[in-house]
Amino acid sequence: MMHLLTSPEAWAALLTLTSLEIVLGIDNVIFLSVIVSRIPEKQAHRARQIGLALALVFRIILLSVLVWLIGLTAPVFSLAGYDFSWRDLILIGGGLFLISKATHEIHAEVEADDGEGKKEGVGSAFFWVIVQIVVIDIVFSLDSIITAIGMAQDLEIMIAAVVIACLIMYISSGPVARFVAEHPTTKMLALAFLVLIGVALVADGFKFHIPRGYIYFAIAFSAAVEFFNVLAKRNRRKAGNSPM
């Protein structure tokens, strides 16, 4: 352990891997922000805490069973000339779940349907939010840790990078969730990105890799445009309320 603390290569690996894990965690934060927006604020806060704690736990568990995890990339069957591993099947299933969930939420927003929380009890709604968070945490954790394995050799560095990234996700999730809840157009944009991320996961499962840089650039660019749009609306509202 001491040689890692004094090794410039180890610190460089930690910085690089932490940055990558933070970027990969954007998907998780977006999903959490959208999924908790339909339950009361107090429960939403608890759901975010539970969701991010589970994300950290899943990542550390996966890191501790690296041999088994690497085995998930071995082909289990072939179809139409494609070899599919358990990892591929998990990515395809998770991607389809994201697409389905985001499409359902977009439909609810377009139809102005707030009935989901009314039809179900508060406890039941909270339970299903946690179930959905667990499902997507497993998918994102798998993708994140397999990336980490390819970038670092030392388990300590991987665990440190994952813990730091999860802490940053925790700090940022609250403000992001509040912003999404307060601005309906931002929520619709986040849902559109979840569809895009779901498509990317399904494509990965079918061995067609879409470079994540394209997706994250689109997210960053659209988020910047939306930020200036919200700022412009706020300034117009202030100008309209100011005395002449």
Side-chain angles (χ1 to χ4, degrees), residues 91-92 197-210 212:
L91 290 180
I92 292 170
I197 293 163
V199 170
L201 289 174
V202 172
D204 272 353
F206 282 99
K207 304 292 192 298
F208 182 81
H209 181 65
I210 301 173
R212 289 295 190 270

Side-chain angles (χ1 to χ4, degrees), residues 25-231:
I26 291 171
D27 307 349
N28 226 336
V29 171
I30 292 174
F31 180 80
L32 268 174
S33 302
V34 170
I35 203 68
V36 302
S37 64
R38 285 184 170 270
I39 58 177
E41 175 58 32
K42 188 174 180 181
Q43 286 199 323
H45 180 67
R46 281 179 57 207
R48 284 198 305 273
Q49 287 181 324
I50 293 171
L52 291 170
L54 287 172
L56 177 60
V57 169
F58 284 138
R59 281 161 169 78
I60 292 176
I61 289 174
L62 288 173
L63 280 171
S64 66
V65 288
L66 291 182
V67 174
W68 173 80
L69 187 62
I70 291 168
L72 288 181
T73 61
V76 289
F77 71 91
S78 298
L79 182 66
Y82 290 97
D83 293 327
F84 291 95
S85 65
W86 283 114
R87 173 184 179 268
D88 298 329
L89 297 178
I90 291 170
L91 290 180
I92 292 170
L96 291 175
F97 172 78
L98 263 187
I99 294 169
S100 170
K101 180 62 185 174
T103 304
H104 173 76
E105 289 289 331
I106 288 172
H107 179 266
E109 289 294 314
V110 171
E111 296 295 326
D113 176 21
D114 264 337
E116 189 174 315
K118 295 174 186 173
K119 291 175 188 172
E120 301 178 75
V122 175
S124 176
F126 180 77
F127 171 77
W128 284 112
V129 164
I130 296 301
V131 169
Q132 292 173 77
I133 288 172
V134 168
V135 170
I136 215 62
D137 268 346
I138 291 171
V139 176
F140 286 148
S141 295
L142 185 70
D143 208 23
S144 170
I145 295 309
I146 287 177
T147 301
I149 293 169
M151 288 200 61
Q153 304 299 319
D154 297 292
L155 184 61
E156 295 89 347
I157 290 175
M158 292 188 227
I159 291 176
V162 164
V163 170
I164 294 169
C166 284
L167 285 173
I168 292 173
M169 284 165 56
Y170 179 81
I171 293 167
S172 64
S173 65
V176 170
R178 283 192 294 273
F179 189 82
V180 167
E182 290 169 5
H183 301 90
T185 55
T186 305
K187 183 175 181 180
M188 191 64 74
L189 186 65
L191 289 168
F193 283 133
L194 287 180
V195 174
L196 183 62
I197 293 163
V199 170
L201 289 174
V202 172
D204 272 353
F206 282 99
K207 304 292 192 298
F208 182 81
H209 181 65
I210 301 173
R212 289 295 190 270
Y214 295 151
I215 295 175
Y216 294 135
F217 174 78
I219 291 175
F221 181 79
S222 300
V225 171
E226 182 62 17
F227 171 77
F228 287 117
N229 186 35
V230 169
L231 196 62

